[in-house]
Structure formats: structure tokens, C-alpha cells
Amino acid sequence: MLDNMLEDRLTLVKQDGTIAKEQIPALVMKGKIQIHDFTIPIEVADHLLRNLPNGFVEDYIVDDPVLQSGLGHKFYTVHVRRSSSPAAQQRAAIQNITNNFHGANSRVNIASTDNSINISGEISAEKAQAFLAQLKPVIAGLPEPQQTEIKGQVALLDEEINKTLPSPSKITEVLRSIRTAAEGAAGNLIASGIVAMLG
């Protein structure tokens, strides 16, 4: 009887951008989501996405997945917060956004909401190499223009980190280019994961 109350269907997206499960029956309430399938691997900072009839996607960030027992069965009460804005589906999204940044710690504000993340300081070649190991297997899931652009940036990053003395400023510059390209694929889950990793 309780399962009949679960009218919403959600998609669980892990922190690395992979889709763990789709069409999860749930009940979305303010600040929390109830899910009766306790076998789903929900962790802090995962995303639960809900498609809306208007073509947008509500993005809920997991703050605390609490496994509870009651009335003879186990269920999750997942404490969540909404991300800053709903993501448009890929077909309705703007495909190209170009931002030109100058100077250290430059920022951009669009519509007075600061969603930018600064990458400051020096990035080590080891960290860049670890990032590449996560990025390379998922590039094929990006839309074509971003896929080609990011592949080119990956080649530059690979070349730089394999030098005897890699330049931290060049590594940072390439990572910024990858982030900008990923941001151009708004609504794509893999691109969202890339942006989150770079954050």
C-alpha cells in the first residue's frame, strides 16, 4: 500500500557522473525524498534527478541518506537540497557558451547568481593524471561538439603532464578549457560530472 504513494520516478547519478539506476519509485517532499528500495547505493553528494513535464530536470543533491525500518520493511528517507537551478534537457540547452577570463581568480556572474568556481594555485601533474584517468573513459558520452573539443584538450594535458617539468599554469589553463567545454553541454549528466570533478 505504501508503494502506491511513490508516484515520482527518479534517476540516481553518482558523484562521478555515472547513472546508478533509473526509474526509481519515490515520493519527493520538501527537503527529503522517500525511496522504498533499500538496495540502491545512495551516498552523500549523489544526485537524484526528476524529469518535469515542462522538459526541465530537478536536481536534488543528497545530504543524508537515512535507512529506516518501519511497518515490517526497510526504506530510505533521503535528506536532500535542490541544486541552484533546474537543468534543461540536452535538446533544449544552449550548446555553446564562450567565456574569456583574464587574471588570477577571475569570476563570471550571469543573472546575478554566482555559480563559478575558482581554480587557483598550482595543480600538480599527479592530480591532473588522476583526473585524466577518470575523464578518458566517459568522453564518448558527451555531445559531439564538446566531445571533439575535450579530446583535443585531453591530448594537450597528456602532453604537458608527461614532460620532464610540467607547467602548472599550462595544466590549469587546459583544465579551465575542459571545464568551459563541459559547461557548454548543459543537461548532459557526464558533462555535469566533469564540471563537478573540476570544482
Side-chain angles (χ1 to χ4, degrees):
M1 184 171 88
L2 293 173
D3 288 339
N4 293 336
M5 296 170 40
L6 307 178
E7 296 178 355
D8 298 305
R9 295 295 175 265
L10 304 180
T11 299
L12 174 63
V13 180
K14 303 303 285 179
Q15 295 176 52
D16 65 0
T18 58
I19 297 174
K21 187 162 184 176
E22 297 180 289
Q23 294 297 316
I24 302 168
L27 176 61
V28 177
M29 300 169 276
K30 185 173 180 137
K32 62 184 174 180
I33 297 173
Q34 195 170 87
I35 297 173
H36 288 194
D37 184 351
F38 66 91
T39 63
I40 299 172
I42 302 173
E43 300 174 292
V44 173
D46 285 348
H47 291 256
L48 290 166
L49 306 178
R50 176 169 72 164
N51 289 324
L52 299 176
N54 64 3
F56 286 99
V57 178
E58 282 183 331
D59 181 2
Y60 294 93
I61 302 168
V62 176
D63 286 331
D64 188 17
V66 180
L67 185 59
Q68 298 181 314
S69 297
L71 301 174
H73 75 284
K74 294 179 182 177
F75 60 93
Y76 277 113
T77 297
V78 184
H79 297 275
V80 296
R81 61 188 154 83
R82 286 185 63 178
S83 67
S84 60
S85 62
Q89 287 184 343
Q90 181 180 345
R91 60 182 153 72
I94 298 170
Q95 293 298 318
N96 292 309
I97 298 174
T98 302
N99 292 312
N100 296 309
F101 297 96
H102 301 283
N105 295 316
S106 298
R107 300 179 75 80
V108 62
N109 291 326
I110 300 171
S112 298
T113 301
D114 188 1
N115 291 323
S116 63
I117 296 173
N118 279 344
I119 300 174
S120 61
E122 294 186 352
I123 309 285
S124 70
E126 293 79 26
K127 286 183 181 179
Q129 206 160 23
F131 169 71
L132 278 180
Q134 293 178 2
L135 177 63
K136 286 179 179 179
V138 299
I139 292 175
L142 293 168
E144 178 46 38
Q146 286 78 23
Q147 189 179 130
T148 302
E149 188 173 342
I150 289 177
K151 279 182 182 177
Q153 295 300 325
V154 164
L156 290 173
L157 188 56
D158 243 342
E159 181 183 320
E160 188 61 38
I161 62 177
N162 288 315
K163 288 182 177 177
T164 307
L165 291 171
S167 166
S169 63
K170 286 184 182 178
I171 291 172
T172 301
E173 183 181 326
V174 174
L175 291 174
R176 284 185 179 146
S177 296
I178 290 171
R179 179 185 172 86
T180 300
E183 286 172 339
N188 180 284
L189 294 176
I190 292 172
S192 298
I194 292 169
V195 171
M197 282 193 306
L198 286 170

